[in-house]
Amino acid sequence: MIREQVKSAQVEAMKAGDKEKLAAVRLILAKLKDRDIELRTATSVPDDDTVVVDTLQKMVKQRRESIEMFRSGGREELAAKEEAELAVIESFLPAQMSEDDTRAAIEGIKAEVGATSVKDMGKVMAVLKERHGSVIDMSKASGLVKAALG
């Protein structure tokens, strides 16, 4: 399971004295703990890997937005720090689908749900996230779906 990989990466980073990786792994573990606390009151709890992947994807999105803002503000040193964290976070995510595979999945779902225009984008995105949410960057997929339906 991914959570065990993160915990073992923390131990490895401590032993190796890799302070940057250790800090990033601790951020991940803190976010996971927050998410666990949120889910205590939930009526239905998804399996652990789903929770971990969802949390990591949100962290990746946040880092990418921060990098963009830091670069536009001329703060390269902060952008570099965020990029280092991003690399650590992405190392725990399952391998992402290629753009060609994503396009093929979108076309299949589009035909399946009978989507013909941008009005049907929500239907396609919902099925895409349900089936491939853990291996697709949904922000990039959104643009691909819009292009396929446009």
Side-chain angles (χ1 to χ4, degrees), residues 5 13 17 23 26 28-29 36 42 56 58 66 83 92 96-98 102-103 112 116-117 133 140:
Q5 292 173 354
R26 284 182 173 158
I28 293 169
L29 290 171
D36 291 342
L56 292 176
K58 287 178 183 175
S66 297
E83 284 178 334
F92 296 109
Q96 299 292 295
M97 282 176 75
S98 69
T102 303
R103 287 181 197 276
E112 183 182 317
T116 56
S117 69
K140 290 179 184 174

Side-chain angles (χ1 to χ4, degrees), residues 22-36:
L22 180 60
V25 171
R26 284 182 173 158
L27 279 172
I28 293 169
L29 290 171
K31 281 287 185 191
L32 290 174
K33 188 167 191 130
D34 288 345
R35 187 66 191 263
D36 291 342

